[in-house]
């Protein structure tokens, strides 16, 4: 998102000027109340200065880590899966961006501040995709902000790849009309896809080793409208059928349909797209 111009009252403009520092940052105290006529993405940026960036800048200035010539060009809040949050400033910020510029660019060429005005996408580097983040870049005219507070995107992607393998096994069993093997593998694909979703929201059930914990958590998440109802219905059906399919040789087992298999494939693909590095997905758009 980009900072946009807003119509603000004189009182609000005065409030901002009092907190604007020469180093290109807003010194907003924890007890400050951001005026109501500041809204949209600029309000979000000011809140991030309030809760993360301004306290860290003040701390580093008081300890002598930042001098009087400090100028803020980039800021980043990192929220690891475990442990304390981290704040990075300027050249310590790590991110991958997608920029479209109207000039010839070769690998290794310098990137100018003006280039950042054409920033179309930004995300963490692949080795940090398990962390959430809020990242700000100054492009010479305003702030470009990108954020994703979900945790465990890399772990989720690996789990979705495993889900795909079980789905392919279920599909192969279905072609041979091996209903029991199809149900067992389709259940595993559904469960892994569900775990992949729960990981993103830091659910304790994502680490559970009991099938019931995952089933209960994903159904609770679904009741909030966050999971496709058809997928949940299928997962619950496979959960019910899995035990007799595997352990009761005398029970009749219905072969899952092609539409059942396609439903799970769609769920996996949607999640894979959601957790992928954003600069890669953005680069698939037509040139």
């Amino acid at each position: 998102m980009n900072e946009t111009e807003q119509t603000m009252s004189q009182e609000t403009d005065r409030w901002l000027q009092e907190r604007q520092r020469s180093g290109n940052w807003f010194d907003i105290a924890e007890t400050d109340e951001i005026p109501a006529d500041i809204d949209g993405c600029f309000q979000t940026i000011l809140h991030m200065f309030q809760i993360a960036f301004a306290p860290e800048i003040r701390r580093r200035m008081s300890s002598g880590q930042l001098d009087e010539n400090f100028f803020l060009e980039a800021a980043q809040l990192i929220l690891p899966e475990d442990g304390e949050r981290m704040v990075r400033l300027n050249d310590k910020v790590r991110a991958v961006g997608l920029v479209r510029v109207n000039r010839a660019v070769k690998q290794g060429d310098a990137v100018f501040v003006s280039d950042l005005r054409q920033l179309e996408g930004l995300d963490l580097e692949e080795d940090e995709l398990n962390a959430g983040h809020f990242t700000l870049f100054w492009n010479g005219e305003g702030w470009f902000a990108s954020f994703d507070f979900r945790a465990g995107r890399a772990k989720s992607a690996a789990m979705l790849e495993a889900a795909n393998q079980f789905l392919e096994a279920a599909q192969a069993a279905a072609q041979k009309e091996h209903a029991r093997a199809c149900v067992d593998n389709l259940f595993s694909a559904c469960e892994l896809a569900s775990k992949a979703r729960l990981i993103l929201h830091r659910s304790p059930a994502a680490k559970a080793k009991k099938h019931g914990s995952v089933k209960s958590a994903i159904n609770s998440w679904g009741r909030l409208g966050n999971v496709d109802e058809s997928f949940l219905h299928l997962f619950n059906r496979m959960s019910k059928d899995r035990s007799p399919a595997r352990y009761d040789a005398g029970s009749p087992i219905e072969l899952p349909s092609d539409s059942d298999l396609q439903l799970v494939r769609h769920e996996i693909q949607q999640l894979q797209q959601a957790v992928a590095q954003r600069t890669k997905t953005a680069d698939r758009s037509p040139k």
Side-chain angles (χ1 to χ4, degrees):
M1 64 184 182
N2 289 288
E3 178 187 354
T4 56
E5 293 184 3
Q6 298 185 351
T7 302
M8 295 177 290
S9 67
Q10 289 184 347
E11 184 178 352
T12 296
D13 188 57
R14 193 161 49 246
W15 184 92
L16 277 173
Q17 289 183 27
E18 290 173 355
R19 288 157 178 80
Q20 174 77 60
R21 298 296 176 258
S22 58
N24 195 36
W25 61 287
F26 291 95
D27 191 1
I28 303 177
E30 181 181 354
T31 55
D32 280 342
E33 184 174 340
I34 296 174
D37 54 340
I38 299 176
D39 57 17
C41 65
F42 190 38
Q43 183 185 73
T44 301
I45 290 170
L46 291 179
H47 275 303
M48 293 307 298
F49 271 107
Q50 183 177 41
I51 67 177
F53 302 137
E56 182 64 16
I57 292 171
R58 288 195 299 266
R59 185 189 70 80
R60 296 190 191 187
M61 284 183 166
S62 64
S63 65
Q65 296 177 64
L66 296 177
D67 60 31
E68 59 183 17
N69 297 319
F70 171 75
F71 184 91
L72 186 65
E73 297 173 332
Q76 186 175 59
L77 173 66
I78 296 292
L79 301 169
E81 284 186 287
D82 303 301
E84 297 182 359
R85 71 185 192 181
M86 298 179 289
V87 173
R88 297 169 178 166
L89 303 176
N90 290 354
D91 60 348
K92 300 301 182 183
V93 170
R94 295 181 60 199
V96 178
L98 178 65
V99 180
R100 301 195 191 279
V101 294
N102 297 319
R103 61 183 178 87
V105 179
K106 296 180 296 184
Q107 185 174 358
D109 284 356
V111 177
F112 304 111
V113 171
S114 59
D115 292 335
L116 297 179
R117 295 170 193 164
Q118 308 302 320
L119 195 59
E120 296 187 4
L122 184 140
D123 205 348
L124 295 178
E125 295 185 356
E126 289 193 349
D127 65 346
E128 289 195 312
L129 286 180
N130 281 324
H133 80 103
F134 188 101
T135 304
L136 279 177
F137 273 101
W138 176 254
N139 64 19
E141 296 180 348
W143 291 104
F144 177 93
S146 177
F147 62 91
D148 191 331
F149 294 127
R150 296 174 301 169
R153 286 163 61 198
K155 288 184 178 179
S156 181
M159 196 157 286
L160 290 168
E161 181 56 37
N164 239 339
Q165 293 181 23
F166 280 102
L167 177 59
E168 289 177 5
Q171 200 159 22
Q175 290 173 353
K176 295 182 178 181
E177 297 188 355
H178 292 173
R180 296 177 186 279
C182 183
V183 166
D184 197 10
N185 283 286
L186 192 58
F187 164 79
S188 294
C190 289
E191 185 177 57
L192 286 167
S194 298
K195 274 195 170 187
R197 186 182 290 276
L198 293 171
I199 285 173
L200 300 174
H201 305 287
R202 302 177 190 262
S203 169
K207 298 180 180 179
K209 296 184 178 180
K210 294 184 178 180
H211 301 302
S213 299
V214 176
K215 179 185 174 184
S216 176
I218 198 66
N219 275 278
S220 295
W221 196 238
R223 282 192 287 273
L224 297 175
N226 297 317
V227 187
D228 181 77
E229 289 185 9
S230 298
F231 173 79
L232 275 181
H233 179 74
L234 176 61
F235 181 27
N236 291 334
R237 200 176 93 220
M238 292 300 102
S239 297
K240 179 182 177 182
D241 292 348
R242 176 183 176 270
S243 183
R246 174 174 279 210
Y247 303 114
D248 188 354
S251 64
I253 300 298
E254 181 181 352
L255 181 69
S257 66
D258 287 341
S259 60
D260 290 336
L261 296 166
Q262 289 304 317
L263 179 61
V264 179
R265 185 172 301 282
H266 181 263
E267 176 74 5
I268 292 172
Q269 289 176 342
Q270 290 289 97
L271 283 168
Q272 284 179 321
Q273 185 175 6
V275 303
Q277 193 181 55
R278 289 183 176 179
T279 53
K280 290 186 176 179
T281 55
D283 199 34
R284 296 193 188 108
S285 59
K287 302 289 192 296

